[in-house]
Amino acid sequence: MKKILIAFLFAPIVAFASGSVHLDKWPGTVADKPALQNGAKLFVNYCLNCHGASYMRYNRLTELGLTEQQIKDNLMFTADKIGEPMRVAARAGEQRAWFGATPPDLTVIARARASADGSGADWLYTYLRQFYRDDKRPTGWNNLAFENVGMPHILWELQGEQVLNKDHKLELAVPGKLSPKEYDQAVSDLVGFLVWMAEPMQEQRKQLGIFVILFLCVLFGFAYALKKEYWKDIK
Ligand code: HEC
């Protein structure tokens, strides 16, 4: 019984770690605001059709250096008010019927996909570049990082069409609108946005940590003085 419980406990980790693929390192950083802006644009244009980011509000995109007007004009397709969350354009039930799997919410996907093999960013950067043509799949696409994935290759127009050659390596069979280098850059920007979204507070959080420690030091000083004051007559 105990063994079964332990197996259940670790099942999610095993599921993510299994079939461990080589992960390419994400080359970007969350400090690069223009890259994050481009990533946000790609995200609303290509991903929001199926995936929501329902813990993210449109007005938070101002933290990427955009004005509310720019957000309204260029990025807001699934909401009327700037304070609304980034909801999915289609309904979840419909998608299950199309793809046999519901596209998960992507707000924290960069954290959810972190594994022993690498960061969530590395996994996403690899996944979004490793779709290939596969006639055996209902969507016509498969993926080296996510075997038999239910998601079609949404960015195929940009990347072109890859196939698996006889050495089981990816090969660009039909070129896309972007060169391989440009495509990698676009995906890197998109991953940057996903990483930022998963933890938009990461910069502030570090500062808050220091503030909390300082506050505790000061509090300790007061508490100690107070204790001395209380006990001084008792001895
Ligand atoms: C046509 C609908 C559709 C679009 C558009 C789409 N996806 Fe997906 N996505 C799916 C489905 C369906 C799944 C679930 C696949 C599965 O479980 O087999 C999925 C899964 C994923 C996963 C894996 C989630 C996990 O299980 O960890 C990631 C990451 C992802 N999508 C990212 C993206 C990004 C980034 C974009 C935009 C470039 C995008 N998707 C656009 C349908 C879509």
Side-chain angles (χ1 to χ4, degrees):
M1 188 61 197
K2 217 165 157 192
K3 270 202 191 125
I4 296 175
L5 278 177
I6 289 174
F8 265 116
L9 214 58
F10 286 102
I13 299 173
V14 175
F16 271 168
S18 66
S20 87
V21 277
H22 168 77
L23 297 185
D24 297 331
K25 190 136 187 51
W26 171 53
T29 84
V30 280
D32 188 347
K33 294 239 167 106
L36 297 188
Q37 289 177 11
N38 189 38
K41 202 166 92 197
L42 289 166
F43 183 77
V44 298
N45 279 304
Y46 289 100
C47 315
L48 221 46
N49 281 330
C50 297
H51 296 275
S54 42
Y55 301 99
M56 187 70 203
R57 291 179 192 284
Y58 281 99
N59 54 5
R60 299 235 20 206
L61 298 177
T62 51
E63 291 167 31
L64 300 182
L66 298 163
T67 66
E68 292 204 349
Q69 199 56 46
Q70 284 173 320
I71 296 167
K72 276 187 192 150
D73 292 346
N74 304 311
L75 300 174
M76 250 173 68
F77 305 129
T78 66
D80 303 320
K81 298 204 192 70
I82 190 91
E84 284 181 51
M86 298 181 103
R87 255 183 243 109
V88 57
R91 273 174 283 138
E94 285 171 12
Q95 284 149 359
R96 195 188 287 279
W98 299 340
F99 304 109
T102 309
D105 192 277
L106 293 184
T107 319
V108 296
I109 190 70
R111 269 190 283 164
R113 271 290 173 179
S115 72
D117 302 340
S119 73
D122 296 345
W123 187 84
L124 290 165
Y125 182 65
T126 307
Y127 167 67
L128 292 168
R129 290 156 53 255
Q130 295 201 337
F131 281 93
Y132 64 91
R133 274 279 173 217
D134 184 351
D135 296 338
K136 290 190 249 5
R137 299 295 305 154
T139 58
W141 294 100
N142 210 327
N143 192 296
L144 278 187
F146 191 145
E147 210 186 327
N148 295 337
V149 67
M151 172 173 148
H153 187 13
I154 297 306
L155 301 172
W156 72 273
E157 276 183 328
L158 303 181
Q159 184 182 28
E161 298 184 25
Q162 297 188 117
V163 292
L164 273 192
N165 67 17
K166 44 186 186 333
D167 301 329
H168 210 70
K169 292 250 156 48
L170 292 172
E171 228 175 64
L172 193 62
V174 184
K177 282 188 196 153
L178 301 180
S179 72
K181 226 174 133 197
E182 289 168 333
Y183 182 72
D184 286 356
Q185 184 58 54
V187 170
S188 173
D189 293 353
L190 176 57
V191 170
F193 177 71
L194 294 173
V195 170
W196 173 79
M197 175 160 67
E199 210 169 344
M201 299 291 285
Q202 49 194 321
E203 290 302 319
Q204 290 100 313
R205 195 193 53 188
K206 284 175 206 151
Q207 285 166 9
L208 188 69
I210 294 169
F211 175 77
V212 167
I213 303 272
L214 283 177
F215 175 78
L216 286 176
C217 289
V218 172
L219 190 70
F220 176 78
F222 276 117
Y224 187 70
L226 195 66
K227 172 203 165 256
K228 270 180 113 175
E229 183 64 28
Y230 274 144
W231 287 85
K232 72 171 189 272
D233 303 327
I234 296 175
K235 276 187 232 149

